[in-house]
Amino acid sequence: MKTVVLAEKPSQGAAYAEAFQKTKREDGYFLVEDSRFFNGLAYITWGFGHLVELIPPEAYKEEWKSWSLQNLPILPASFQFQVAKDKQKQFQIVKKLLKEANEIIVATDCDREGENIAQSIIQMAGASHKPKKRLWINSLEVDEIQKGFKNLKEGNVYLPLYREAQSRQFSDWLVGMNASRLYTLLLRDKGLNGVFSVGRVQTPTLYLIYKRQREIEQFKPQPFYEWIGNVHINTGSFEAKHRKQFFSKQEAYSTLETIGIKEGKNEGVVQKVERSLKKTKSPKLHSLSTLQGKANKLWKYSPSDVLKIAQSLYEKKLISYPRTDTHYITENEFVYIKENITNYSSALGVEIDMAFPEPQKRFVDGGKVQEHYALVPTKQVTDLNGLTEKEQNIYKEIVLTTLAMFAPLYEYEETKVEVDVNGLLFEKTGKVEKSKGWKSLFDTQNKSEDEEEKVAVLPAMTEGELCSVHVSLKEGTTQAPKPYTEGQLIQVMKQAGKDIEDEEVKDTLKRTEGIGTEATRASIIETLKAQRYLEVKRNIVSVTQKGKILCQAVEGTMLSSPEMTANWEQYLYKIGQEEGSQSEFLRRVERFLRSLTEEAPQQMIQLDQLVEKAKQEAGIGGCPKCGKGYIQDKGKFYGCSGYRKGCTFTLPKVICSKSISVSNAQKLIKGGKTALIKGFKSKQNKSFDAYLYLENERVLFEFPNKK
């Protein structure tokens, strides 16, 4: 009997090997002899993520190699895969083992993408007919691995997840290949160079950020006025505010005139004093997205960094599977966490009062745990000194949030006061902390958050108490929406579609938690940054000129809205539930792409003004020949943006083996002379120094005077 265990990556394979007896490391796999789990020999091997990938368009048809509007849309009759060039050696090892296997255990990450990775490799290796089992675990600890191998699932049960993930992979390829070429070619016709990458998820995400930026840019601040009352009583003073805002001074003053009071000192009475004890529960256990948001707020870590750090902690067997979208655990996890409270507390140097020793539905609900449970520590506890600073911060955040579910509630007394000045009411809310409860665990971790939550402490007072109130008019200005931080982008994607009117689409986005998945959102943000659609400065996100052009190009199409992704995700979910077919889904994608190819050229007309601005920004100066175009970096030379209108002006980027910098090119096109450039090489390979200047569109040398 020969069993092959297929892991997703080497580190995962190594973690599995640690759980078994008699293991031997070979080239590309582990050989295992352990009769407790396997009848005969077992081979643990792995991919490097995707060992196989979809072939490029030109591998289907030679004419698809050239980027041409006439070749769109690109729609393969059937999809084909290839082995990535740099992964050939490992694939051959995996293929040989799979072909010889009597049984295959799929042990990639236990999610849709992990299933897709494994089944794609198995199919490419020609082993899809072999019997398969599925390992489904949330921790790489030895006892969890052993428990998982003792309770393997039937492999075919997860095939619908594979078909769902594969259908998503096909649709993303189709949209990426077609829409990217389409918009790149259309914008190139308008004189814009470069590639404009378009994606089913990345482009609607970019458009959501663009909408917020446009709201900020178009926002017109308005003044407003509000009445402030500085209240003085025997025990102290405080500032209160009238509830209503006014948008003109006249309206504000007429309110005072109506009730017969004036600015300045007035007599008042404390009309209402309401005190209530408030109790706050600890935050829910972390999913990946809430961890990403919290880490960005506290330490400005990017979502991508947080995922990498969490993945590292997972592979060190310190936390559960990081790509989780749930906030709940089952009673099994609750039991081991409770048993390890002392160890966790000691490792982090905190003390905890056990207020809730039994499971609470807010945290423990097996019915809400599907593929994975919330991010929690494993049974293994570590010395923090063995972790990097970033790993320490993320690990502590996960452990403290987990411990907090056992701690007492946070308690404070809230006081609401109303002061009456001849019928004009002034209000104030104050807060007095009674018990820090679970918040004491986060005293250092969440210091910045606590500072944001500070609320005034009010002096003692009683209802009916007389007071003096100094009434004054305060002018303010309405504020534009705030730009997104990088950490907020995850929530922007999760909440996508909240403004959509179609209730069915809105429900789909709510069920699928917006656009993207817990595992892919961080990489989508990184893609948008890599494509130079987004810039992040001091944690604030802005859309670049290139990003604005793409957003205006797709405006009004389904690519600008989460609605398309919602509809597609709705059907993809049906495929995963065996209620829909891949072929029908791909037919829908094909119809969309044919429609997009026909309609997109008409939308380019509205971009003329923005494209012209982009050309100016991308240019290094005005064209000295035609006077209308802009000199741009064309790669191997500098050339005029008006070349399609007949302007042939160019400047070489390399002269006599010497590169011409942008600053020197700018001097030339302005009719000036460059600085002395040293190191030119003649045809005889002799070195010389010279200035450059432009005359009749020719670049000429001027040699320095030699004394």
Side-chain angles (χ1 to χ4, degrees), residues 588-620:
R588 295 183 183 192
V589 176
E590 181 180 332
R591 285 197 297 270
F592 164 72
L593 290 172
R594 289 190 186 281
S595 172
L596 184 70
T597 305
E598 291 173 7
E599 295 170 7
Q602 298 301 315
Q603 293 201 258
M604 291 297 108
I605 300 168
Q606 66 184 10
L607 289 178
D608 288 345
Q609 191 173 352
L610 191 66
V611 167
E612 192 62 25
K613 183 180 178 184
K615 286 180 187 175
Q616 291 181 38
E617 291 185 359
I620 62 174

Side-chain angles (χ1 to χ4, degrees), residues 1-4 22 31-34 38-43 102-103:
M1 184 74 177
K2 187 172 181 178
T3 302
V4 174
K22 294 184 182 179
L31 178 62
V32 179
E33 288 185 72
D34 195 333
F38 308 109
N39 180 18
L41 293 176
Y43 298 79
N102 300 104
E103 182 181 68

Side-chain angles (χ1 to χ4, degrees), residues 44-63:
I44 302 174
T45 190
W46 50 82
F48 300 117
H50 289 272
L51 276 185
V52 298
E53 61 191 12
L54 287 165
I55 64 174
E58 59 269 25
Y60 293 101
K61 292 181 183 180
E62 180 63 28
E63 60 262 34

Side-chain angles (χ1 to χ4, degrees), residues 242-397:
H242 181 55
R243 182 181 299 178
K244 187 178 178 182
Q245 287 185 344
F246 307 93
F247 288 94
S248 72
K249 282 187 178 181
Q250 183 180 355
E251 183 188 6
Y253 280 113
S254 68
T255 300
L256 291 195
E257 291 170 7
T258 301
I259 57 177
I261 64 173
K262 296 181 180 180
E263 273 191 277
K265 188 175 180 181
N266 292 270
E267 296 301 317
V269 61
V270 178
Q271 178 173 283
K272 185 189 291 185
V273 179
E274 287 184 353
R275 294 185 179 89
S276 57
L277 186 64
K278 301 283 185 178
K279 299 182 179 183
T280 305
K281 294 178 180 178
S282 67
K284 288 186 174 182
L285 299 173
H286 277 305
S287 66
L288 175 60
S289 58
T290 58
L291 180 66
Q292 287 168 321
K294 186 76 174 286
N296 183 263
K297 188 173 185 180
L298 292 177
W299 307 292
K300 306 297 184 285
Y301 297 166
S302 72
S304 178
D305 278 347
V306 176
L307 178 53
K308 288 175 187 172
I309 298 162
Q311 182 68 27
S312 172
L313 292 170
Y314 171 66
E315 291 178 8
K316 290 178 179 178
K317 308 179 183 181
L318 297 177
I319 64 169
S320 58
Y321 186 67
R323 292 172 174 82
T324 178
D325 59 0
T326 187
H327 301 281
Y328 299 92
I329 56 176
T330 71
E331 292 207 12
N332 291 334
E333 289 79 55
F334 181 83
V335 169
Y336 86 70
I337 290 168
K338 182 179 175 182
E339 289 172 351
N340 280 277
I341 284 179
T342 303
N343 294 332
Y344 299 139
S345 302
S346 177
L348 269 59
V350 297
E351 293 183 5
I352 181 169
D353 295 328
M354 179 70 78
F356 298 99
E358 299 305 318
Q360 304 171 72
K361 275 281 187 182
R362 178 176 173 81
F363 311 103
V364 186
D365 190 342
K368 293 181 179 176
V369 176
Q370 295 178 1
E371 295 175 0
H372 310 291
Y373 49 79
L375 261 168
V376 291
T378 61
K379 305 180 193 77
Q380 182 172 311
V381 182
T382 189
D383 179 359
L384 292 182
N385 293 324
L387 302 177
T388 66
E389 181 184 352
K390 288 184 175 181
E391 286 176 333
Q392 286 184 34
N393 285 336
I394 296 298
Y395 181 67
K396 285 166 67 176
E397 175 61 32

Side-chain angles (χ1 to χ4, degrees), residues 458-577:
L458 298 175
M461 67 192 90
T462 57
E463 289 183 2
E465 186 174 348
L466 297 177
C467 56
S468 68
V469 183
H470 188 276
V471 176
S472 60
L473 190 64
K474 181 180 178 182
E475 182 176 347
T477 307
T478 55
Q479 299 296 307
K482 290 184 178 180
Y484 292 125
T485 65
E486 191 171 4
Q488 288 173 327
L489 295 187
I490 297 292
Q491 286 303 316
V492 170
M493 296 174 76
K494 289 188 75 169
Q495 295 170 5
K498 62 182 180 182
D499 298 327
I500 289 175
E501 294 181 4
D502 188 312
E503 289 302 321
E504 188 176 359
V505 173
K506 187 181 285 189
D507 287 345
T508 300
L509 284 166
K510 189 174 181 180
R511 177 180 56 76
T512 59
E513 292 204 302
I515 55 179
T517 66
E518 211 76 9
T520 61
R521 291 186 185 110
S523 65
I524 289 163
I525 294 167
E526 289 303 306
T527 298
L528 291 171
K529 288 158 63 178
Q531 294 293 339
R532 298 185 180 177
Y533 292 142
L534 294 182
E535 285 181 340
V536 181
K537 292 181 180 177
R538 296 183 178 178
N539 204 37
I540 298 298
V541 179
S542 62
V543 180
T544 64
Q545 192 67 29
K546 181 182 179 183
K548 289 178 182 178
I549 289 170
L550 180 61
C551 286
Q552 290 202 15
V554 301
E555 198 161 45
T557 72
M558 293 299 287
L559 285 169
S560 67
S561 170
E563 189 172 345
M564 181 184 78
T565 291
N567 287 326
W568 287 14
E569 288 294 343
Q570 190 174 39
Y571 199 86
L572 285 165
Y573 179 76
K574 288 182 179 179
I575 294 173
Q577 299 298 310

Side-chain angles (χ1 to χ4, degrees), residues 158-176:
Y158 297 91
L159 286 178
L161 293 184
Y162 161 54
R163 285 190 284 272
E164 177 185 340
Q166 188 189 64
S167 301
R168 186 180 285 108
Q169 182 184 14
F170 290 166
S171 67
D172 287 345
W173 187 94
L174 287 167
V175 172

